[in-house]
Amino acid sequence: SAAIITGGRGPTKDGLTLEGVELAAGVGLKRDRMIEEALFARFRRLRRDVPDMNFRQADVPDGAWTIDNEKGSAPGLGMETLGGLVFCLPGVPHEMEPMVLDTVLPYLVKRDPDPAVVVHRIIRTAGMWESAVAEAVGPEVDRLAPRGKPVIAFLASGGMTRVKITARAKTLAEAQALISPVEDFALRALGSAAF
């Protein structure tokens, strides 16, 4: 299992993510020399001195490894602890997203002995109560129940009901093949209420 924590990696004292991981894992924080040097280089390019509080970003839980942040000053961290993995990433989307896509997800896929692709399809409906939508799609839910592949969920909010179909398979093509007939059934069953 893995936890991905975003935010709380900034230089200010309210960024407590690492302290939380440190406490949960029962390890100490240590100053990472390479992060410190990267901070000096980054601020030198900006022609500024490194504010003392930024050096908090160079503190790393013992046993963690760093994930480069090309867009900001706070590196991401990965750590095996508590029987699983913990990733601590900046909360700023343009910093965090490349770390997830380029490092975290490939790492998780490589580690998983049975890698999978998860695909979702959402059909929105208007003018039907959630119970009516569930009743219309019910025969397909019953057909899939023994295998649980794919999974159908009904989500009502904002005056509409969404039918969420989720398939997990080894490849994208296999996941799409699982979803396709279920989506076709739901669209036929819901008729003009679906969009």
Side-chain angles (χ1 to χ4, degrees):
S1 65
I4 301 173
I5 303 167
T6 60
R9 288 289 298 119
T12 57
K13 289 185 179 181
D14 64 337
L16 299 174
T17 297
L18 294 187
E19 287 82 352
V21 170
E22 170 195 19
L23 286 172
V27 298
L29 289 177
K30 63 178 184 179
R31 183 64 48 98
D32 184 299
R33 213 67 194 124
M34 290 181 67
I35 297 173
E36 215 173 31
E37 289 172 16
L39 285 168
F40 278 119
R42 178 178 177 76
F43 279 84
R44 197 171 26 252
R45 282 192 307 273
L46 298 171
R47 292 183 168 82
R48 294 176 52 203
D49 292 331
V50 183
D52 285 341
M53 68 173 51
N54 274 79
F55 287 114
R56 293 182 76 239
Q57 295 173 309
D59 293 336
V60 176
D62 202 20
W65 65 89
T66 60
I67 301 169
D68 289 338
N69 182 352
E70 302 294 328
K71 310 275 185 181
S73 61
L77 299 170
M79 183 176 186
E80 293 199 38
T81 186
L82 309 172
L85 289 165
V86 176
F87 293 96
C88 303
L89 306 174
V92 180
H94 77 271
E95 295 181 30
M96 175 266 300
E97 288 168 0
M99 292 176 166
V100 169
L101 294 173
D102 298 339
T103 303
V104 175
L105 290 179
Y107 185 87
L108 292 173
V109 167
K110 186 170 65 175
R111 246 181 86 98
D112 189 346
D114 186 24
V117 172
V118 177
V119 174
H120 302 285
R121 287 280 161 60
I122 295 177
I123 300 169
R124 290 170 174 78
T125 65
M128 289 179 79
W129 293 100
E130 180 182 14
S131 56
V133 172
E135 189 174 307
V137 182
E140 191 68 350
V141 173
D142 294 341
R143 184 183 74 79
L144 297 170
R147 294 181 295 140
K149 285 186 173 185
V151 175
I152 300 174
F154 302 98
L155 311 160
S157 68
M160 73 171 143
T161 300
R162 291 170 291 146
V163 178
K164 183 177 180 182
I165 308 164
T166 303
R168 182 180 194 271
K170 287 186 182 275
T171 67
L172 178 61
E174 289 174 27
Q176 289 173 329
L178 286 171
I179 280 184
S180 229
V182 178
E183 181 182 24
D184 291 345
F185 178 93
L187 288 170
R188 281 193 312 274
L190 294 167
S192 62
F195 67 96

